Amino acid sequence: MMLRGLVSCVKNPDSARASYFIVSCNGAALHTSVAEGGISAGTGDVVEFDGGRIESVEEDPGYAKAVEKDLAAFCKGLFGSKAHKYGNADIDAVTSRLWVAAMNAGKLLARKIAYCAPIIVRFHNDADGSGGALALNCALRELVPRIGEAGNIVWMMQKGVSYSAYDAANDMLIANGYSSMEKPLLIIIDFGTTTQSNAGIRAVDGKFDVIWLDHHPIVDGFEGAVLGNYINPWNYGGNSNYTAGLLASVFAKTFSDADTGLFERASLIGDYSEYAPMDDAKAQQASMLLDFITSDLQAAFGPSKQNVTPQEIMSVLSDRKRRKELLDYANIRLEEAVERGMDAARMYEAPGAFVYLLDFDVVKSGETRYPLPGRFASKLLARINGTDMRRAIVVLYVGAYIMMRADKELCTDLNILDVIAEVKRRYGNDVENGGGHRCAGAVKLADKSRSREVAIAIVRIIKNAI
Ligand SMILES: [Mn+2]
């Protein structure tokens, strides 16, 4: 049957392998199609097509307006006003404050999907970032078929913590493979809130629309915070305990009913949020798997694997046998690291407690990132508590970071936040940022060459505090 539509995006334009993305409207029934043969057309043309072939290019100046009208009607039905509820009063209060911003970002995404614009999603490579990508992917798998065929979405796992000029150059290369009516869209999940992203931000300025979902503290001089769709719980009365995975899920919930609860909970666990449901075994397992898969793609997907998509992660999560295999393997790696850690740690005695000091570089195995220091510190603490009657505190330094984990029973007297405040008082100029909660926290120094010295000072502060 002959169909009519607007060519909104062309992949590989001016080439024999051009793909035409066509948006059709028939009054409140937006539909996208892909054509790959027939006569050639350009972005903005209205065409007649049949069986994936473009048959003719038409004059129809009113068509683009009709598409806009259909899109508005579609969005009206898609976006409700009721904020998604996680089920925790603090979390839900922040969600309700950022809901309108999330919905506006959702409308932007729906527009890009409808016009098949190139969309690049970059997510941080840990349980939180990948949990956010999985939640968003669940929602898109629901949304995209409602409009038509799959669009032009590229998923990229981000290994660094900033959006660099190199990342921006890479994204522009991808976008340049398309001729699109709608500006390309860049979605960032769980990283980038640092002045080191400024060069990348400037490079894509005006060339991409950006939706930025992050929960890291907003530092002075960071230029991304003024972008239209920069959403961070810190701007809505929340803090980093409201994880980026949760935020991405909330964003996804503005246009979808997909069940993303597991990814929300796994992201809270993965980032040691104070809201983490520690008694949720399924989410614990998912969190550990996500941490492992994203830290060691080669182990999970074979050699030469450099990037991973949510679809690929889902193929592992939904395969019971593979899941168990990988979890067992991750546990072995974690156990080995804990053994090395027990051997290498320096132990300081305090009344009724031990303080363990450890250089994480001694513990890490080979090139991969697994285990991450946070998960390792928790595991090491559990091991110490399992072998000794006395309670323990672990102080771990890696690069510019110093992490602290204290046994819960010690946290009635000891508050890690007080320790961090004291570190800031003594080393004010050296501390870039620091935070956490009663039993766990971290500081980041401006200069990593000082982390050993400051870590030793932290041991002394802790000894004095208990
Ligand atoms: Mn995070």
Side-chain angles (χ1 to χ4, degrees), residues 315-389:
S315 74
V316 171
L317 290 187
S318 53
D319 178 341
R320 214 163 60 95
K321 194 168 151 247
R322 187 74 181 138
R323 211 166 58 206
K324 184 180 178 312
E325 233 167 47
L326 286 173
L327 268 175
D328 288 348
Y329 178 71
N331 266 315
I332 289 170
R333 291 264 297 271
L334 192 51
E335 287 300 326
E336 269 177 10
V338 168
E339 289 303 327
R340 277 195 297 274
M342 289 294 276
D343 287 343
R346 287 201 56 180
M347 197 172 75
Y348 299 83
E349 274 197 76
F354 285 124
V355 188
Y356 282 75
L357 176 68
L358 192 58
D359 175 357
F360 191 64
D361 280 337
V362 175
V363 169
K364 273 196 300 193
S365 69
E367 291 299 297
T368 70
R369 287 168 74 247
Y370 197 81
L372 302 176
R375 188 168 296 280
F376 167 79
S378 298
K379 194 80 181 174
L380 183 67
L381 189 62
R383 164 66 65 88
I384 296 165
N385 287 343
T387 52
D388 199 289
M389 293 304 287

Side-chain angles (χ1 to χ4, degrees), residues 5-48:
L6 174 71
V7 176
S8 61
C9 183
V10 185
K11 186 179 181 182
N12 305 315
D14 311 317
S15 95
R17 12 171 229 124
S19 305
Y20 302 93
F21 292 83
I22 303 166
V23 52
S24 304
C25 66
N26 327 290
L30 216 55
H31 187 83
T32 62
S33 315
V34 187
E36 272 164 345
I39 66 166
S40 74
T43 307
D45 283 347
V46 174
V47 296
E48 300 232 299

Side-chain angles (χ1 to χ4, degrees), residues 60-381:
D60 191 347
Y63 200 90
K65 260 199 179 139
V67 169
E68 273 298 307
K69 229 178 125 193
D70 267 15
L71 177 61
F74 177 73
C75 283
K76 214 171 165 199
L78 195 61
F79 291 91
S81 58
K82 262 182 89 181
H84 169 57
K85 287 247 188 299
Y86 173 82
N88 168 293
D90 292 349
I91 288 177
D92 293 340
V94 175
T95 299
S96 66
R97 284 194 286 269
L98 58 74
W99 186 252
V100 170
M103 209 153 62
N104 287 335
K107 283 174 186 165
L108 180 67
L109 174 61
R111 157 177 287 276
K112 303 298 176 181
I113 295 278
Y115 282 94
C116 298
I119 298 172
I120 296 171
V121 188
R122 287 182 176 267
F123 57 96
H124 193 216
N125 67 329
D126 61 8
D128 186 25
S130 61
L134 287 166
L136 180 56
N137 182 56
C138 274
L140 285 174
R141 269 172 47 199
E142 213 184 70
L143 174 68
V144 173
R146 287 178 64 178
I147 306 182
E149 297 177 44
N152 294 302
I153 307 175
V154 176
W155 298 88
M156 261 187 285
M157 189 176 84
Q158 184 83 9
K159 288 178 181 155
V161 293
S162 63
Y163 183 72
S164 67
Y166 171 83
D167 295 328
N170 184 78
D171 292 349
M172 282 187 283
L173 267 182
I174 293 173
N176 286 343
Y178 298 84
S179 159
S180 173
M181 277 177 70
E182 270 290 319
K183 221 181 254 180
L185 175 66
L186 170 65
I187 301 179
I188 290 177
I189 301 174
D190 191 30
F191 71 93
T193 302
T194 148
T195 53
Q196 280 146 33
S197 298
N198 288 349
I201 292 166
R202 282 182 216 145
V204 295
D205 184 38
K207 300 187 178 78
F208 279 82
D209 283 320
V210 182
I211 295 172
W212 201 319
L213 309 170
D214 195 10
H215 70 137
H216 290 93
I218 301 169
V219 291
D220 285 344
F222 168 60
E223 292 172 15
V226 297
L227 294 173
N229 292 288
Y230 178 84
I231 304 176
N232 188 323
W234 285 95
N235 283 339
Y236 299 91
N239 57 38
S240 297
N241 287 303
Y242 192 111
T243 53
L246 174 63
L247 179 60
S249 172
V250 163
F251 166 62
K253 288 284 186 181
T254 64
F255 59 86
S256 155
D257 295 324
D259 181 9
T260 54
L262 180 66
F263 305 128
E264 293 178 353
R265 297 192 296 277
S267 84
L268 293 168
I269 293 167
D271 262 24
Y272 304 96
S273 164
E274 65 175 87
Y275 307 119
M278 297 316 279
D279 50 356
D280 184 331
K282 214 179 153 201
Q284 290 277 356
Q285 209 186 62
S287 167
M288 185 164 174
L289 255 178
L290 291 180
D291 259 345
F292 177 68
I293 290 172
T294 54
S295 310
D296 194 342
L297 291 181
Q298 284 81 28
F301 297 102
S304 81
K305 187 74 175 148
Q306 294 294 332
N307 186 36
V308 70
T309 63
Q311 296 85 336
E312 288 169 321
I313 298 175
M314 276 315 288
S315 74
V316 171
L317 290 187
S318 53
D319 178 341
R320 214 163 60 95
K321 194 168 151 247
R322 187 74 181 138
R323 211 166 58 206
K324 184 180 178 312
E325 233 167 47
L326 286 173
L327 268 175
D328 288 348
Y329 178 71
N331 266 315
I332 289 170
R333 291 264 297 271
L334 192 51
E335 287 300 326
E336 269 177 10
V338 168
E339 289 303 327
R340 277 195 297 274
M342 289 294 276
D343 287 343
R346 287 201 56 180
M347 197 172 75
Y348 299 83
E349 274 197 76
F354 285 124
V355 188
Y356 282 75
L357 176 68
L358 192 58
D359 175 357
F360 191 64
D361 280 337
V362 175
V363 169
K364 273 196 300 193
S365 69
E367 291 299 297
T368 70
R369 287 168 74 247
Y370 197 81
L372 302 176
R375 188 168 296 280
F376 167 79
S378 298
K379 194 80 181 174
L380 183 67
L381 189 62

